Amino acid sequence: MKQQTAQIRWEQRMQTPLLALALVFAVAYAVPIMAPGAPRWAHTACLVAEWVVWGTFALDYVVRLMLAPGKWLFVRSHPLDLVAVLLPLVQPLRLLRLVSTLLLVGRRARMAPQITLTTYVGGAVVGLMMFGSLAVLHVERDAPDGNIKTLGDAVWWSFTTMTTVGYGDHAPTTGLGRLLAVGLMISGIALLGVVTANIAAWFISRFERDDAEERRQTALLEALTHEVRELRAEVARLSGTEGTASVPEPAPSSPRS
């Protein structure tokens, strides 16, 4: 129990720093792709920032693993975290580190109200779309037959892919780009489904609360009606008793002499 309490305390303490580091990683990931002609020191700084963020993720994973009551159960229940820690050198899979952070925040908000959870998942949808756009732009921009050459093309492709519309005006031509498309489609369907489900659950919970309040008021009215009936019966009974007591009994007649 002490280990479990320590794990929860650590996760709560690290939630905000990890979210801030996710934003740092977002900038470090985006700058070399959006500004390939930036000075060399800027690229080096972004690379160092990515390694620092990855090292923090790895340290957080190790600490949570040490504090977990069941080590093997923790490993099996956090597969993406482990993948993000073990594959830091694969360029396209750097996105998994951001995904693992979003999943971490989502797990922290699992018991939150529907509105809070929908906000988290909505942020994950936007983040996944933007970083999916950056990843596919990085892969497809220099492809000979590629038609995703600008950030606008990449964002449009990500939006149509995540919503499974797929107009076909922009599409990846490389194997790695198509692999990213598969991941984006699966993730987009899952995250958008979570948003829809939580909005529906919020409406259902509101309707249930309204229905429960209406049933409570109906029960109160029925109880009040029952009490009024009992009071009327008691008043009628008391009125009848007093009326009987106020009428004098006739005196017995005296015998005639």
Side-chain angles (χ1 to χ4, degrees), residues 13-171:
R13 187 183 300 118
M14 290 298 295
Q15 178 176 347
T16 302
L18 285 178
L19 183 59
L21 286 175
L23 296 177
V24 173
F25 176 81
V27 175
Y29 185 86
V31 168
I33 298 175
M34 298 183 64
R40 183 177 180 83
W41 64 265
H43 288 266
T44 303
C46 292
L47 182 61
V48 171
E50 289 182 10
W51 275 102
V52 170
V53 173
W54 171 80
T56 307
F57 287 165
L59 178 62
D60 174 72
Y61 181 86
V62 172
V63 172
R64 287 188 293 139
L65 177 62
M66 297 301 296
L67 295 177
K71 305 296 187 294
W72 177 239
L73 179 62
F74 178 85
V75 173
R76 288 188 302 172
S77 59
H78 299 77
L80 282 180
D81 292 1
L82 181 61
V83 170
V85 169
L86 295 180
L87 297 177
L89 298 177
V90 182
Q91 179 96 356
L93 293 183
R94 289 186 300 170
L95 182 60
L96 285 178
R97 286 175 240 154
L98 181 65
V99 173
S100 66
T101 303
L102 295 174
L103 291 175
L104 178 63
V105 175
R107 283 195 298 272
R108 307 287 171 79
R110 184 173 297 172
M111 300 305 295
Q114 274 76 20
I115 293 298
T116 304
L117 182 59
T118 302
T119 303
Y120 276 110
V121 177
V125 170
V126 175
L128 186 61
M129 183 179 69
M130 292 303 300
F131 280 87
S133 303
L134 292 172
V136 78
L137 178 62
H138 180 66
V139 172
E140 294 289 325
R141 180 164 50 193
D142 298 329
D145 299 329
N147 58 3
I148 301 177
K149 301 296 184 181
T150 64
L151 182 62
D153 294 339
V155 172
W156 173 250
W157 170 82
S158 297
F159 187 82
T160 57
T161 301
M162 289 184 66
T163 55
T164 66
V165 175
Y167 288 109
D169 51 350
H170 295 288

Side-chain angles (χ1 to χ4, degrees), residues 173-219:
T173 57
T174 63
L176 200 52
R178 290 171 180 172
L179 182 62
L180 288 171
V182 171
L184 197 62
M185 284 185 283
I186 295 175
S187 303
I189 293 173
L191 289 173
L192 292 175
V194 170
V195 172
T196 304
N198 278 278
I199 292 176
W202 180 78
F203 278 109
I204 291 174
S205 64
R206 288 296 303 269
F207 292 150
E208 289 178 349
R209 286 198 299 269
D210 294 341
D211 188 52
E213 181 65 21
E214 184 178 354
R215 288 197 301 268
R216 188 181 68 85
Q217 292 179 358
T218 302

